[in-house]
Structures are given as structure tokens and as C-alpha cells.
Amino acid sequence: MQVKSQSFKENSKKALNDKTLQKALTKVRGNFINKRKKAVDELPEFDTLRDNARDIKNHTLDNLDLYLEEFEKKVVDQGGHVHWAQTASDARGQILDICRKANAKTVTKGKSMISEEIELNDFLEASGITPVETDLGEYIIQLRNEAPSHIIAPAVHLTMDQVREDFIKAHSHLPDDRLLEDPQSLLLEAREVLREKFMEADVGITGANFLVAETGTSVIVTNEGNGDLTQSLPRVHIVIASLEKLVPTLEDMSQIMRVLARSATGQKMSVYTTLSSGPKRKDDPDGPDEYHVILLDNGRTDMLGTEFQEMLRCIRCGACMNHCPVYQQVGGHAYGWVYPGPMGAVLTPNLIGVDKSGHLPNASTFCGRCEEVCPMRIPLPKMMRHWREREFEKHLTPPAQGRNLKLWLMLVKRPNLYRKVVRIASFGLRLFGFRKSRTGFLPMAGAWTKDRDMPTPEGKPFLSQYKGKQKIS
Amino acid sequence: MSKEPRVGLFVTCLVDLFRPSVGFAAVKLLEDAGCDVYVPITQTCCGQPAWNSGDKVDTAELAISVIKAFEEFDYIVAPSGSCAGMLKKHYPEVFANDPAWKERTEKFSEKCYELTSFLTDVMGVRKVWAEHSANVTYHDSCAGLRELKIKKQPRILLNSMKGINLSEMTDNETCCGFGGTFSVKYSDISNAIVTEKSGHIEDANVDLLLAGDMGCLMNMAGKLKRQGSKVEVRHVAEVLAGMTDKPPIGGKA
Ligand code: SF4
């Protein structure tokens, strides 16, 4: 995926002017937020669970090496294979090797953001292997050759009408005048089409919501059941997950699960929770012959021990973007890479460099709602500020902004001069606002006044008028 | 401590320049509540623009001058959740790794409050005597709401007034899109957010929009006035102090 985060401003402008997109985005504002709120209000211990979830992940991250080893040992003991991938390209190579050995032509896929991160689909296609997305949202965007715009609702940027058109075009063997009126009928049709693919597939690739060290288990949660078929029907099952998906025990996993679905979709639990711990055993009725886990680092271990370590607690619930006023307006594609919204604003610079994604941690009002709803209590605004600090230290702050800051600093550090300048500014602004207390035009404030009036001062500055006491002693 | 708590008023730069009557309203409200009020006129800005630009060094320098000017008071009060949040929550972060200033800053920050929450939570005010006849709605500014948990405090005071009829708008806890320099750096997005907000304000069918932060108020007033809205906009302190003789923020329709 080509990184387009540098053009965040242009991307967002386009998004704001895209009427269809704007219509689609109203879903985010309504659905997700209200459902989450209801689910959270019904669970008095929700905040305690969040504390536990945070503590579990903190403990895991502090002992990551130990738990990774424990996980690997378990998987191997149970007849599976663990592959360590330092980079995206390592992971792609390992997956291709496994597919080649299995003589794979078709690969079914469960929903996985890591697969997006390593750009797996394009790579497989280029290598002559057909990847088939089986999650409805992922299937839709695969038809459209698009990237996901949301980490749990990849096609949230589309309207029903758009999807209906795509289906009619893609499923040309079905009658054109069939009714496709609601998400359910789309799901059924996709299921029908995908059934064949499930039977054809040689390899199934899934992501993981959790990796459990004590049992060597990978866990996925879905609402469509597509993940189960992806991992149990083909001969080979590959799990692709980043290192920080680890938790120590099944008990820990179930604790975090209680905040995951509630934060994501407002469900108590997702419809399907699927655990897989290795290839088919002797007496199992079904399951894959081979079981592989690819453990991807791709920059995560570099975050350990830094001010960004806490970001590794993220369980990809999407609550932060659902509640983000910026995401709500511009949608996920504007962010220009795999991870959008507040979590993307923190994670993306870690993974691809802040020089390529500097807009993301800056394009925030710091309203703090993401942190307020994050089930893992990740201080997202604070970490966005850390990126701004790094940019400032590296002199990556845009020059105009840097100049304004310097000028302003020069004033606020000199109280007497400051009062004089404020008096003059007040006088000048009042001329502009004469009688109306506002102005629609102000030199050098065009960015503001093109869409808004500028209220002008009501009178002389307070500090110039104040005659009362200043100091105790 | 003397009987009357000595309160240093941190006016905030936006109030100083754009809305001096909020400063005088704050002085009145504090004095009515029994405080001995001081305003050091050497104050400038809390340093938030530098802090949010990633400039830690200059933030620290500004913070030190604020601390020095205000630490002699029993309390430091600001008519802004955002600036009070900076003094109370972020100053300790600025000096978290600076042994020379850490403790001194923490002592200072503990004494900092936003105006309405100081009145209710510290001074125990439950009633203000001003009167103002209007249907109003209240916007919860983000920093006050999330950093300082200010939600019921301004409502307690407003509901104690004669004439005020308070009703809540949809999404009153959603950001107005101001975000300091965000409003000019990402002005298109900022405008989209405040346009949605002004829709909710209009739908609330009120004459008056109140909030506790000048930045948000100027943003919302600027949008409402550009759209030709009749809704007037004021800082909550003006209404609580009964000092509404000046035209509203951004003027009348
Ligand atoms: S940062 Fe928090 S809210 Fe956002 S996706 Fe991750 S866990 Fe969910």
C-alpha cells in the first residue's frame, strides 16, 4: 500500500467534499457510539475491567520475551510451527514458502489487519496465488480493490447502494433484478459465493485477536463465522499476528474479551469466538493438517521501553476512531495508510516513520475522547504530543508554524511588551469589528475567516483595565 | 491560611484580549463566594500552544514564570477548563523528570482550579443571585470535561438562577472543532466539525449558548454568526455574575 499520509490535508479535503462518503460516515456517528454506550452502561464493573485489561497487557509487555518463548514451546509441542518475522517482507516470504510447499492455488482469508500491514494480497497475487477475503467487509473492498477504512468495519466508508452495485457487477451469474436490500441479504449472497471458495482453498490465513501463552492458542472473534471455515477447512492453517497480541493465560484473555466486543460493536461478546491450538489431532473429526503461526515484529520491539510502549496494549477495537471528531468527518482513507484514527495517529509513525506521517499526530483537537473510551486506557493524546515533541526536536515542524510559535514566544515571555501589543491588537481588532463585534475578514486569519466570522474584542484588554490587588506581599 | 482564601486569578490570554468582562465576572463571582482576589498583571499565557506544538523547553520556561507569579496564593483559578487543565494536569508532566521543579510544581498544580468547579467544589457555592431570562444550552468543552471532570458544576450554578431555562443539545460532549491551532492548521476539518455542532445548537431551540472556554466559544460564535444564526453566545461566567450588559461574543444576529 502506497503511503499517502503526507497528503492528509488534501485527502481530507476530498473526503469532506465526497457526498456519498459523508452519507456512509453517519453510520459511525450513530451506530457504534450509541451501542457502545448502552453496553458499557449495563456493566457497572466496566471501568474495573479496563484497569485489569491494562494491567494484564502491561505485565505481558514487561515480560514479553518469556511469554513468547512459552507460546512457541506450546505450539511446537502441539505439532504446530512458529515462524519469527522481523519485517513485513520476512512474513510474506514465510507465508509464500508454506503456500508453495502446500501447492496452494487458492488461499482463503479471515479478517486481519496484519495482512493489510504486510500487503499480503498483492504479494500473493503477484506470486500466482489467489487470495479470497471471507469477511464480508473485506470481501467487498477486495472486489473494489480498496484498502480498509476502519480496523473493524473495513467497508464502513461505503453505502448500501455502492455495495449492491459491486455485487451485481461481480456476481454476474445471479439474476440482475434480485433484491439486495439490507446487510443481511448481502451477507447471504457473499456466503453463497464464498462457499465454493472455502471448499477449493488449500490454505487458510487468519489473524489473531489474542495469542495465549499458557496453551499456545490463537483466538479470533468474528460475527460471521467465516473465520472458523477459513481455519478448519483447508489443509493448512496459517495464523499471522504481531507479537503484542500475546496474553499469559486463557483467564487473562477472557478478561480482556469482556471489554473488547463492548467497546467495538456494543455486543457483550462477538458471535463467534474461535480458539485454535494446533493441527488436527488423531481423534479430531476435522481441522488442518498443518498449523503455522507467523509472529511479526515489524517495529514493535523498538517501541518497548519508549514513551510509545503503551500503544502495544491496543486490542484493535476501533472505539477511538468511532469517537474521534476528525475520523468522523474524514473517514479512514484520508489517514493514508493501514491504521486510521487516533490509534493510527500514534502507531503509524512508529511503523513507517514520523517523516512520512507527521500530519497524523498533529491532526487532532486533543479533545481526549479517544482516551476516554479506550478499553485499554491508552493515553492516545499524550502519545500524539510525544510525536509532536519528536518532530519539534528534529525540526520537522512546518516552517510557518515554527515562525508563528517563535513570534508568540517572544511576546509571552515579555509581560510588559505583551500588554502593549495586546492593547494595540485589541484596538485594531475592534476597528474591524466596529459595531458588529465580529468580522468576516481579517488579514492573516484567512484560514479561520473563510468559513467563520472572527469575534472581536469587546473592549480594552482586561489586564490594562484591572486596577485591583495584584500581590499578597 | 487567613479566613478568606486568597485566590490568584489566571485570566487567560483569550479572555484578556477578547472578553475582558469574563475577567471581571470571575473577580465578582470569586469575591461573592468570599474569596480575597488578586490578579498579577504580569501574567501572559499558560504555555499551552508551545506544549501542544511539542516545544518542551519553552513550555517549561513559561510554566516557571506562571508558577512563580501565582504560587503564593491559596488557590489559582482560571475561567477556562483548558487553561486550568494545563496548570493542573500538564504542568506536573512538564516537570515530571526535573527534580528541581517537580515537587514545587505539584504543590502549585494541586491548588489550581477552573472557575465554576472551584466555586461549587471548593467554596461550596450552590446558588448565585444574578437573574437572566433565557433558554440556554451548555457546551461541555473537552479539556474541562475530560481532564477536570467538569460537567455538573456549571449546571448547578445555572439552575440556581432565576430565569434560566437550561436544556441539553445532542452530542453536547462532542468537540466543537476548535483545538487551538488545529482550527487554522486543519481549518477544513475544524469547519466541518463546528458546522455539525452549530446544527445541534440550532436544533436545541435556545436563545443563548454558554460554555466555559473562550476558544470554543469564539469558534462556535464565529460559525453561528456566519450562518446568520440568532442564537447568542456568552461565557458562562458573564451570566452567573449578571454581567451581560456587553454585546454577546460575536455580537447580535
Ligand atoms: S487504541 Fe484503544 S480504543 Fe483505539 S483501537 Fe486500540 S484499544 Fe481500541
Side-chain angles (χ1 to χ4, degrees):
Chain A
M1 187 179 177
Q2 202 197 335
V3 180
K4 294 199 192 106
S5 307
Q6 299 99 316
S7 41
F8 175 81
K9 269 194 183 178
E10 295 75 38
N11 305 346
S12 47
K13 202 164 187 166
K14 235 172 72 198
L16 290 170
N17 291 325
D18 182 339
K19 292 221 172 70
T20 324
L21 172 66
Q22 289 301 321
K23 186 174 161 214
L25 286 175
T26 53
K27 283 183 292 206
V28 180
R29 282 171 239 179
N31 277 357
F32 282 121
I33 294 181
N34 299 341
K35 286 186 185 156
R36 175 197 170 273
K37 184 166 186 326
K38 186 157 176 287
V40 168
D41 289 347
E42 280 168 10
L43 194 68
E45 68 268 37
F46 189 73
D47 277 339
T48 315
L49 287 171
R50 289 169 79 190
D51 291 341
N52 293 352
R54 175 198 56 206
D55 296 346
I56 290 168
K57 274 285 185 188
N58 279 349
H59 167 81
T60 315
L61 292 169
D62 286 341
N63 300 281
L64 194 60
D65 48 343
L66 296 180
Y67 287 117
L68 282 168
E69 274 172 28
E70 188 183 349
F71 175 80
E72 179 184 33
K73 185 167 180 309
K74 275 285 166 202
V75 173
V76 172
D77 286 351
Q78 282 150 193
H81 306 270
V82 173
H83 310 261
W84 300 87
Q86 182 107 50
T87 64
S89 130
D90 292 348
R92 288 190 299 257
Q94 289 159 351
I95 293 172
L96 184 62
D97 276 351
I98 300 168
C99 290
R100 288 250 158 95
K101 277 200 195 111
N103 245 327
K105 307 257 163 350
T106 307
V107 169
T108 43
K109 291 182 67 207
K111 186 175 149 20
S112 154
M113 288 309 293
I114 295 297
S115 151
E116 302 288 340
E117 183 180 323
I118 65 170
E119 302 170 73
L120 186 58
N121 285 2
D122 288 349
F123 174 77
L124 287 177
E125 268 173 51
S127 316
I129 296 169
T130 311
V132 181
E133 294 290 350
T134 65
D135 169 87
L136 178 61
E138 289 286 343
Y139 177 71
I140 294 168
I141 60 168
Q142 193 185 19
L143 287 181
R144 300 173 61 90
N145 201 9
E146 283 181 349
S149 70
H150 188 287
I151 58 173
I152 67 157
V156 76
H157 59 287
L158 299 170
T159 60
M160 270 289 299
D161 289 341
Q162 286 173 299
V163 179
R164 189 182 305 121
E165 269 171 44
D166 292 331
F167 272 36
I168 289 182
K169 219 185 310 160
H171 308 153
S172 51
H173 61 290
L174 297 171
D176 270 3
D177 55 354
R178 64 192 186 277
L179 285 179
L180 283 174
E181 282 185 322
D182 49 48
Q184 197 57 27
S185 57
L186 292 171
L187 178 62
L188 289 177
E189 180 163 319
R191 246 186 212 165
E192 201 61 44
V193 175
L194 286 169
R195 187 149 303 155
E196 265 169 57
K197 306 283 182 192
F198 278 125
M199 304 313 284
E200 271 170 34
D202 312 288
V203 173
I205 302 179
T206 62
N209 291 92
F210 303 96
L211 301 172
V212 184
E214 88 178 324
T215 54
T217 304
S218 77
V219 184
I220 53 172
V221 297
T222 70
N223 280 322
E224 297 162 22
N226 62 307
D228 298 29
L229 296 178
T230 306
Q231 65 183 37
S232 54
L233 287 179
R235 279 177 289 124
V236 179
H237 176 202
I238 304 176
V239 177
I240 161 112
S242 47
L243 306 176
E244 82 280 8
K245 287 283 167 294
L246 218 65
V247 290
T249 65
L250 286 171
E251 174 58 33
D252 294 329
M253 173 201 84
S254 37
Q255 291 245 13
I256 301 181
M257 290 251 284
R258 297 189 69 198
V259 294
L260 172 58
R262 286 183 171 88
S263 304
T265 51
Q267 292 165 289
K268 289 198 179 76
M269 265 180 88
S270 304
V271 180
Y272 299 89
T273 301
T274 313
L275 290 74
S276 60
S277 310
K280 186 168 127 180
R281 288 162 301 192
K282 217 169 88 238
D283 300 324
D284 287 346
D286 46 33
D289 298 331
E290 279 178 43
Y291 177 77
H292 299 267
V293 183
I294 315 265
L295 287 173
L296 178 72
D297 183 344
N298 211 24
R300 269 96 177 157
T301 46
D302 294 341
M303 293 162 70
L304 291 171
T306 72
E307 65 259 61
F308 300 110
Q309 170 164 328
E310 292 183 273
M311 192 61 220
L312 295 173
R313 289 203 300 263
C314 174
I315 52 173
R316 307 289 189 268
C317 72
C320 55
M321 56 198 75
N322 297 337
H323 290 78
C324 173
V326 175
Y327 180 95
Q328 287 171 6
Q329 297 296 336
V330 302
H333 286 158
Y335 290 78
W337 200 58
V338 180
Y339 300 106
M343 59 80 68
V346 176
L347 189 61
T348 302
N350 274 296
L351 301 186
I352 65 172
V354 72
D355 48 329
K356 292 200 196 105
S357 52
H359 272 302
L360 309 190
N362 280 288
S364 161
T365 64
F366 278 163
C367 78
R369 206 164 175 199
C370 49
E371 179 176 359
E372 182 182 56
V373 297
C374 174
M376 304 306 288
R377 296 204 188 278
I378 300 174
L380 294 152
K382 182 166 128 191
M383 284 190 283
M384 287 182 223
R385 187 180 302 105
H386 287 323
W387 277 121
R388 298 183 190 186
E389 284 161 7
R390 293 218 181 166
E391 286 183 294
F392 188 84
E393 280 157 19
K394 288 200 222 159
H395 304 288
L396 291 172
T397 315
Q401 190 192 329
R403 275 195 304 275
N404 290 342
L405 185 66
K406 278 217 186 83
L407 191 67
W408 170 84
L409 281 167
M410 201 266 291
L411 280 179
V412 293
K413 287 183 187 174
R414 292 172 181 75
N416 294 331
L417 175 66
Y418 175 82
R419 275 200 309 284
K420 277 194 198 112
V421 172
V422 171
R423 263 204 303 274
I424 297 166
S426 168
F427 180 74
L429 283 167
R430 274 179 282 146
L431 289 181
F432 272 96
F434 182 64
R435 287 215 176 153
K436 290 187 103 162
S437 308
R438 62 177 179 268
T439 172
F441 166 77
L442 199 61
M444 301 192 308
W448 178 289
T449 50
K450 87 181 143 60
D451 302 305
R452 283 162 279 211
D453 286 351
M454 175 63 93
T456 50
E458 133 228 310
K460 280 191 201 149
F462 177 86
L463 294 174
S464 301
Q465 292 188 52
Y466 179 75
K467 295 281 170 305
K469 290 181 287 192
Q470 292 196 46
K471 283 193 91 43
I472 297 175
S473 41
Chain B
M1 199 188 287
S2 67
K3 258 203 332 285
E4 291 195 332
R6 293 161 302 187
V7 173
L9 179 67
F10 188 80
V11 182
T12 80
C13 46
L14 288 178
V15 164
D16 179 37
L17 172 57
F18 286 97
R19 206 68 188 161
S21 59
V22 173
F24 290 107
V27 173
K28 175 168 190 306
L29 286 166
L30 289 167
E31 284 177 349
D32 288 353
C35 304
D36 185 13
V37 181
Y38 300 80
V39 189
I41 66 160
T42 54
Q43 58 180 290
T44 61
C45 171
C46 65
Q48 198 173 161
W51 178 237
N52 287 346
S53 302
D55 178 355
K56 288 197 285 191
V57 177
D58 288 306
T59 308
E61 194 182 317
L62 288 169
I64 286 174
S65 54
V66 173
I67 294 169
K68 282 184 178 163
F70 282 88
E71 65 188 340
E72 66 165 340
F73 303 115
D74 301 324
Y75 296 102
I76 299 92
V77 173
S80 154
S82 171
C83 308
M86 181 73 195
L87 304 181
K88 196 172 186 71
K89 298 284 166 171
H90 294 292
Y91 275 16
E93 290 173 17
V94 175
F95 297 106
N97 300 315
D98 181 347
W101 279 91
K102 190 173 182 304
E103 234 176 89
R104 192 164 162 188
T105 306
E106 283 165 2
K107 238 174 98 193
F108 165 84
S109 291
E110 259 174 41
K111 302 190 287 183
C112 295
Y113 287 87
E114 178 275 342
L115 176 66
T116 59
S117 55
F118 178 75
L119 292 173
T120 58
D121 302 352
V122 179
M123 299 308 294
V125 177
R126 285 291 172 274
K127 170 127 193 82
V128 291
W129 298 99
E131 292 180 12
H132 191 85
S133 171
N135 293 318
V136 304
T137 196
Y138 192 87
H139 167 72
D140 295 293
S141 292
C142 298
L145 177 69
R146 301 203 173 84
E147 290 177 357
L148 305 176
K149 311 279 173 249
I150 298 167
K151 177 80 190 179
K152 57 179 196 313
Q153 296 90 332
R155 290 173 174 80
I156 291 174
L157 298 177
L158 284 169
N159 283 326
S160 78
M161 285 178 64
K162 211 168 144 195
I164 291 286
N165 175 24
L166 180 67
S167 57
E168 301 294 346
M169 63 173 135
T170 312
D171 289 349
N172 53 9
E173 294 189 359
T174 303
C175 179
C176 75
F178 174 64
T181 54
F182 175 87
S183 59
V184 287
K185 276 194 291 180
Y186 299 94
S187 55
D188 294 322
I189 304 174
S190 174
N191 176 50
I193 301 174
V194 73
T195 304
E196 191 169 328
K197 176 64 68 183
S198 73
H200 292 319
I201 297 167
E202 290 286 8
D203 289 345
N205 251 323
V206 292
D207 334 299
L208 182 60
L209 167 71
L210 299 177
D213 269 273
M214 271 313 285
C216 317
L217 286 163
M218 288 173 62
N219 183 39
M220 293 184 290
K223 188 73 218 176
L224 287 166
K225 295 303 122 181
R226 177 62 61 90
Q227 292 173 326
S229 167
K230 290 205 170 52
V231 178
E232 296 187 348
V233 180
R234 287 185 188 276
H235 190 288
V236 65
E238 302 171 30
V239 173
L240 292 176
M243 295 167 76
T244 52
D245 44 326
K246 291 276 176 352
I249 298 167
K252 292 184 179 285

